[in-house]
Structure formats: C-alpha cells, structure tokens
Amino acid sequence: MTYREVYQASMADPEGFWMQASETIDWTQKPSRALFDRGEHLYEWFADGLTNGCYNAVDRHVATGRGDQPAIIHDSPVTGTKSTLTYAELQTRVANLAGALVARGVTKGDRVIIDMPMVPEALEAMLACARIGAVHSVVFGGFAAQELAVRIDDCQPKAILAASCGLEPGRIVEYKPLLDGAIEFANHTPEVCIILQREQSPADLTPGRDLDWHEAQQGVTPADCVPVEGNHPAYILYTSGTTGAPKGVVRPTAGHLVALHWTMKNIYQCDPGDVFWAASDVGWVVGHSYICYAPLIHGNTTVVFEGKPVGTPDAGTFWRVIEEHNVRSFFTAPTAIRAVKREDPKGLERQRYDLSCLRALYLAGERADPDTIEWAQDLLGVPVYDHWWQTETGYTIAGNPAGLEALPVKIGSPTVAMPGYDVQILDEAGHRQAPGTLGAITIKLPLPPGTLPTLWNATDRFRNSYLSTFPGYYETGDAGMIDDDGYLYIMARTDDVINVAGHRLSTGAMEEVLAGHPDVAECAVVGVADPLKGQVPLGLLCLTTGVNRPHGEITAECVKRVRDQIGPVAAFKLALVVDRLPKTRSGKILRSTVVKIADGADFKMPATIDDPAILDEIRTALQTIGYAKG
Ligand code: COA
Ligand code: AMP
C-alpha cells in the first residue's frame, strides 16, 4: 500500500484501521472496539482491553524464541564500559525488580518516580513498573532538586528508584543529595527509595527509607505481569508549559503499545532483530518511546548510550557506536549533529568507520536547519529524515513514512501527517487556512491512539491548554503551514516554550525564578538564536528602584538562581539589566520584538509600543554581549 492509501484508510475508518493495528500486540483480553468517546472532546482508545506493557516489550519475545537476542546494549564512553542484556536476562532482572517493588507494597496504579542516568537499570525500572501496573514518572537528571520536588508533590509516588550518580563529561552529578533535597522540599514523602549504587560515587543511604538496589531484590518472589486496562496510565511525563508548573502528560497503555509498534517498521524501517539507536535521554519523551518502549515492543535491540556527541572522547563517537553495534536506524536531535559538525566540520572522524549498516538518520526535538540536514546527508550518504512530534503525542505527528513508502524529502519540512493525525492549519478565528498560509497547527480530534488523553490530575488544565482555543481541535502550540503537496512546515511556537539543545523549557518558569530575586522588580525571558543549541534563554532584568549594586553581581546571582532552582539543563547564562522592558500601551511585554532585535532580524516597529526609544537601548545592551548584530 502507498502512504496515501494508508493515511486515507486511517481517516476514513479509524475504528477499522486501529483495530487492525492492535493485532500486533498481545492482549490478555482483546478490546471490543478501538475508540471510546467520553464526551466533551475527551477520548480513549482500547479502553476495555486488557494487556501489559512489559509483557509486550519483554516476555513475549522470550516466549517466541528471541530470549537469546540482545535486548539492550549499554555503551558508556563516560565510564569506559559496554555490556549487553538479552531478552531472557532482561526478563529475569525486570521480574526481580518488580518483585522488590511488590514486596514494598507497590501495586497497580501506584506512582513510582525514576531518577536515573543512561544505564540499563533505568529501562529495567520503567519495565518493572509496567510489569505490575505501577505508573512511572521519569525525571531528567539535569533538573534541580526543586523541579524534582514539584513532580513528587504532583504525582505522589509510593516509591522512588534512583541511581547514586550520573556522569557528565568532567563532573559527577550526585543524584542522591539532589533526591534527599527534593524529598525535604516536597510535602509528599515516598515510602521507599531504592538506590542503584554506582562505583563512581556511591551514596549514603537513609536508614528506614532507602534500600540498596540489589539487596532490595534478595529473597523476593519475581513478579508476574499484571494485566491492565487499555486506558490504564503507563506513565506520567512532565513537560514544560507556559507557567512554572510542569504539565503531567499521561500516556495510556494500549494505545502507546499499538502506535509505537506501528512506527518501528513504517517510519524507522526496522525489522524485528535489527539494532535501533536513539541518542537521547530516558528523561525525555524520545527516551521513553525510542530508547525503551518502541524498539523492545517490536523485538529490536536498543542502544543505551551514556555519553555526548562530542568529547566522549571525540566527534567520531556516534559513528563508532553505529559501526560497532550494527545500527540500522539512528535517531538524534539536530543539536547533537551541529555539535559534531562544529568539532569536525570536514567529517574526518566519519572516515574511520564503516557505516554501511546504517539506513537512515532521523532528527527531531527541535527545528532541523537545512545546513545541518545537508551536511549530515553528505557525510553519511543516507537519507536524513526530519520528523515532528511532542511529549504529548509520544510519537511522530508528521514524518516521512520511509518503511512504507519513502516520500521525496523537502528540506525544511518534516514531511506529511502520519495515520490518524488530521493536521489542519487554522487562523485566529479557527478558519482553515489555504495551502501556503501560516497559522496555528492543530489536529482535529480525536487524536490517534497513544497520545495524551488528559494531564495527570488536571483535566481542566488539559482542556484549557489544548482544547479551548479551537473547539474540536487539539492545539499543538506550534505555528506553521502546509504546502500544496500536503507537506507540513513548522515555523515557531505560539506560546512561551523555547527549545534549548532539543530540550523543551518554559520561559515563564525562568521568569518566576528571576522575579523571586529581591533586587528584580520585573523581568522577561526570551529564546534567542544560538548556532549550537538552536535557542538559548536570555533574561532582561529591571531592578527595584534604589538598588545600586554592581549589575554583574546581580546577573551572576540570577544565573545561579535559575541553575539552582530549575537546573543546569536550562542553560540560562545570559542576563542583562535594562531600564525598562519594551511594552505595548496595554502593558504586554513585546517579547518577540526583543527576539528579533537579538537575532538581528528585520522587524516592524509595533504600532502599539509604549516607548520606542527603549528598543535602541536594548539593542545597544545586547550588542555588548555579542547579540543584535544584524
Ligand atoms: N544530568 C545532569 N546534568 C545534565 C544532564 C544530565 N542528564 N544533561 C545535561 N546536563 C547539564 C550539562 O552538563 C550542562 O551543564 P553545565 O552548564 O555545567 O555545562 C547543562 O546541563 C546544559 O547541558 P546541554 O544543554 O546538554 O549542553 P552541553 O553544552 O553540555 O552539551 C550538546 C551540548 C549539544 C552536546 C548536548 O546538548 C546534546 O547532546 N544535545 C542533544 C540533546 C538531545 O538528545 N535531546 C533530546 C531530544 S531528542
Ligand atoms: P518535546 O515535547 O520536548 O518533544 O517538544 C516538542 C516541541 O519541540 C514541538 O512542539 C516543537 O515546537 C519542537 N519540535 C519537535 N520536533 C520538531 C521538528 N522536527 N521541527 C520543528 N520543531 C520541532
């Protein structure tokens, strides 16, 4: 079948399309139908089926003869170690860890926070939760204790699974003190913390609360897979929204299994047994879907890479891993490729490796700039496919269905809508835009299986954030257009979310932290262009009247504040003191005008600006830190 035929089938008969797709996973009880309309634009998929995520990702492969196949390859240039786990070994480990959780009273529906670096145990932790129907919430290691505390209070975990440390090039990230700090900040207290002691920095355990990872598993009964309803939450993954409070995206079990399975062949061109590698982190959605679940559900081998694109030890690391582990399809963020390109622009490192195993490179997480795509294409000699998706959807909204039918690549476009996604461009009044016309990118409801049915304990926020602007449509928060051939183009965010090195961050959250500084009267954070990270945050600070301390001291305190309260991942390093913020007469801060000035782009003086002179002052201030060169 062609892409067009498959897409049309998903639009014309979603029920039939997804019921057929659901045959690819194992059910304890098949669902009676696919779509459940819960009213008021809320939907669920496969709600009355019974299945288990871990069974589909692990046990069924052992049962059907893949027990000896590698399930996980751990390649860790930061520790100088490599190891492989077969599906049979993974099954034993996951059943034991799940048994340890059960022994501590964790049962179906309980939440478990996972705070771990890129080690196989992170996947084992996710799968152990799925095995017993516990709902995991993985927290990225680059966040500060306070961010972890917010998540602890929101999802109220019964248990936390953590590692003693992570390893960033040149420094050990001590997870345990961070975890202790977070538990102290939080109102909710978990009953137990199970800690993986890493030899690089073992942690002190808190008696009565903390258990050693291996000791906790001694003498326990390995746990069996617990069948859960199709709409049972598999996990909660927090992501940035407009305000400081992160949104807890809920992933429903069955839809996620069915949809992820579909993508492995049709998008990523993998057959069971092939090695698939997503160089991301388990703390992000890419890590959930494409380091852990999708490759395992599909019977592939997944690579867990604990390193960076450059410096661990060099810009050839990616190419080494691809050759050494026979990687078929490779997925990373454009930033990572830009980092390699910056270090090795001529691609000399690549010449040292035989990459004939590689079929394609997939990019997502942020805008893929044409230079990066072309450079990678020339270097690797394989197609480079940009694809667009969000934490909320869990997999591709628009991509190139290369395993079904490789469509011509148009650089600058992530290609076309995937089955089940009725992507439409709307103007502010909700009218459909003609091809080539910019507007809000929306998806006509219902969203396909696997996408978020709601936010954790926050259905009103779910409605307000995604469903209220355009009734009957899901608002993606991105703006763009569709061309005459149906190719989508992603141009910008319509909210306060910025994308730094493929990491999604909220400028609103940073503003809340800066506004808490005693000398800051008012502030604005915007995302300005950065050649490596795509965007970086820039803070403009107006000081309280009468403050006359050196500005450098105040900006340094502000940088530290964001690092301490949000985390190093925010990469907040640019802060400027200004007299006033540029505003409209009604008081709205002209953030997009600041961005244009910083990026040296053309802009029209906003007609409603209160005080045009301030823009020149801001331009001059930005020039002192190397921006506004245009
Ligand atoms: N745990 C603790 N700290 C972390 C972390 C983690 N898991 N990940 C990043 N950090 C820290 C970094 O050490 C850095 O700290 P520093 O300010 O002390 O240097 C800070 O957070 C910012 O990190 P990052 O934005 O990653 O910048 P970098 O300069 O360290 O590395 C790249 C730049 C391009 C190499 C890196 O951003 C990268 O590999 N990006 C790809 C992103 C990606 O895969 N995204 C997933 C979406 S698909
Ligand atoms: P996240 O939820 O962290 O995956 O971030 C999702 C957001 O990242 C999207 O809404 C886009 O703004 C941006 N994004 C992700 N992939 C792409 C892409 N291929 N092209 C442009 N923007 C992207």
Side-chain angles (χ1 to χ4, degrees):
M1 276 172 101
T2 64
Y3 155 73
R4 185 89 358 236
E5 286 163 348
V6 171
Y7 182 75
Q8 290 305 349
S10 78
M11 289 291 114
D13 177 20
E15 187 66 30
F17 182 88
W18 291 113
M19 280 307 272
Q20 193 185 348
S22 76
E23 299 286 329
T24 57
I25 69 158
D26 283 38
W27 299 88
T28 308
Q29 181 185 304
K30 291 196 176 191
S32 64
R33 60 198 162 96
L35 183 63
F36 291 73
D37 184 342
R38 302 301 195 196
E40 300 185 5
H41 302 308
L42 300 181
Y43 298 90
E44 291 180 332
W45 292 89
F46 310 118
D48 66 358
L50 286 176
T51 185
N52 181 279
C54 182
Y55 183 82
N56 275 282
V58 182
D59 298 62
R60 68 164 171 169
H61 302 308
V62 178
T64 54
R66 286 191 184 280
D68 293 336
Q69 181 194 309
I72 299 176
I73 296 171
H74 184 226
D75 189 307
S76 170
V78 292
T79 57
T81 60
K82 290 173 206 169
S83 60
T84 299
L85 276 180
T86 65
Y87 272 102
E89 289 164 340
L90 182 61
Q91 183 185 35
T92 305
R93 285 185 176 225
V94 170
N96 286 338
L97 181 59
L101 288 171
V102 171
R104 270 84 205 174
V106 178
T107 57
K108 182 183 165 203
D110 287 338
R111 274 79 57 212
V112 175
I113 279 192
I114 300 174
D115 185 21
M116 300 186 80
M118 288 295 289
V119 289
E121 287 85 351
L123 278 64
E124 292 169 21
M126 295 161 84
L127 294 163
C129 291
R131 191 169 189 87
I132 57 172
V135 183
H136 65 67
S137 188
V138 184
V139 180
F140 179 63
F143 283 120
Q146 206 154 312
E147 287 288 321
L148 181 53
V150 168
R151 287 154 176 78
I152 291 175
D153 277 339
D154 196 71
C155 76
Q156 313 227 325
K158 189 175 254 184
I160 296 188
L161 301 176
S164 59
C165 71
L167 298 160
E168 283 293 286
R171 85 186 149 101
I172 292 183
V173 183
E174 306 283 356
Y175 277 47
K176 187 53 179 23
L178 209 117
L179 176 63
D180 291 341
I183 294 174
E184 211 172 297
F185 273 130
N187 294 318
H188 173 83
T189 308
E191 287 172 22
V192 62
C193 297
I194 300 183
I195 309 293
L196 177 73
Q197 296 282 25
R198 301 193 79 192
E199 63 179 45
Q200 292 77 13
S201 183
D204 293 335
L205 301 186
T206 307
R209 187 196 72 194
D210 298 347
L211 295 172
D212 171 81
W213 187 272
H214 298 289
E215 283 169 17
Q217 297 180 40
Q218 272 166 22
V220 303
T221 310
D224 279 337
C225 295
V226 174
V228 300
E229 297 74 19
N231 58 358
H232 182 72
Y235 65 79
I236 305 163
L237 179 56
Y238 288 91
T239 190
S240 299
T242 298
T243 65
K247 297 171 177 169
V249 167
V250 173
R251 184 79 56 226
T253 300
H256 133 95
L257 299 176
V258 171
L260 291 185
H261 189 282
W262 188 90
T263 63
M264 284 308 294
K265 175 71 184 169
N266 292 296
I267 298 178
Y268 300 106
Q269 307 179 76
C270 280
D271 291 314
D274 286 347
V275 181
F276 177 85
W277 178 26
S280 175
D281 188 284
V282 283
W284 305 115
V285 68
V286 174
H288 281 64
S289 292
Y290 290 105
I291 295 173
C292 185
Y293 287 107
L296 296 179
I297 292 164
H298 197 250
N300 293 105
T301 300
T302 184
V303 179
V304 173
F305 173 71
E306 190 178 22
K308 298 274 172 178
V310 293
T312 59
D314 54 39
T317 305
F318 277 179
W319 322 136
R320 174 192 60 80
V321 172
I322 292 170
E323 180 196 83
E324 199 170 320
H325 304 303
N326 197 26
V327 172
R328 279 278 188 212
S329 295
F330 175 44
F331 180 168
T332 192
T335 302
I337 301 294
R338 285 196 295 269
V340 174
K341 179 178 166 215
R342 189 168 76 165
E343 193 103 344
D344 178 24
K346 295 205 171 89
L348 300 178
E349 293 286 352
R350 185 252 175 272
Q351 309 309 330
R352 295 167 48 202
Y353 303 98
D354 172 4
L355 303 187
S356 53
C357 55
L358 187 70
R359 220 173 257 155
L361 166 66
Y362 294 83
L363 298 177
E366 59 179 320
R367 183 176 166 269
D369 54 292
D371 281 356
T372 302
I373 295 182
E374 281 162 7
W375 184 81
Q377 241 161 20
D378 291 347
L379 185 79
L380 299 174
V382 296
V384 176
Y385 296 122
D386 181 15
H387 57 326
W388 169 67
W389 48 298
Q390 309 185 308
T391 304
E392 287 84 345
T393 64
Y395 62 101
T396 312
I397 309 169
N400 197 320
L404 178 64
E405 177 192 359
L407 298 177
V409 170
K410 293 194 193 185
I411 289 185
S413 165
T415 319
V416 292
M418 289 297 96
Y421 287 102
D422 186 357
V423 179
Q424 299 195 11
I425 309 294
L426 304 181
D427 70 9
E428 277 180 13
H431 299 125
R432 215 168 159 168
Q433 298 287 74
T437 310
L438 206 64
I441 308 178
T442 66
I443 303 163
K444 193 164 187 304
L445 296 170
L447 294 172
T451 55
L452 83 172
T454 189
L455 293 174
W456 182 252
N457 276 343
T459 298
D460 284 346
R461 188 173 182 200
F462 172 66
R463 284 206 180 88
N464 292 335
S465 304
Y466 302 105
L467 308 182
S468 61
T469 312
F470 304 108
Y473 295 82
Y474 166 84
E475 186 182 10
T476 65
D478 285 307
M481 62 177 186
I482 297 178
D483 74 8
D484 288 322
D485 300 325
Y487 279 55
L488 185 68
Y489 292 78
I490 315 295
M491 312 303 277
R493 286 291 300 191
T494 56
D495 56 12
D496 299 330
V497 165
I498 59 169
N499 206 310
V500 180
H503 307 141
R504 174 167 159 183
L505 298 165
S506 160
T507 55
M510 291 185 230
E511 287 176 6
E512 282 173 28
V513 171
L514 295 175
H517 187 288
D519 294 345
V520 173
E522 209 183 7
C523 64
V525 175
V526 295
V528 296
D530 181 82
L532 175 65
K533 299 193 176 189
Q535 283 182 303
V536 288
L538 160 75
L540 299 181
L541 313 171
C542 297
L543 302 186
T544 311
T545 314
V547 171
N548 53 13
R549 296 167 56 213
H551 290 176
E553 255 176 40
I554 298 172
T555 52
E557 286 163 11
C558 284
V559 166
K560 181 168 182 311
R561 239 181 129 77
V562 175
R563 190 178 174 94
D564 290 347
Q565 293 187 27
I566 296 183
V569 67
F572 181 80
K573 294 190 173 151
L574 297 172
L576 268 184
V577 172
V578 293
D579 281 345
R580 305 177 304 288
L581 295 175
K583 290 186 182 171
T584 63
R585 284 190 282 279
S586 60
K588 191 170 167 286
I589 299 172
L590 290 161
R591 291 184 174 76
S592 59
T593 308
V594 175
V595 174
K596 288 196 178 114
I597 295 174
D599 295 350
D602 290 338
F603 71 97
K604 240 173 63 197
M605 180 66 74
T608 54
I609 191 165
D610 181 33
D611 172 10
I614 183 64
L615 295 185
D616 283 331
E617 285 175 37
I618 287 181
R619 180 181 293 107
T620 309
L622 282 167
Q623 280 165 349
T624 62
I625 56 163
Y627 282 83
K629 286 197 201 116

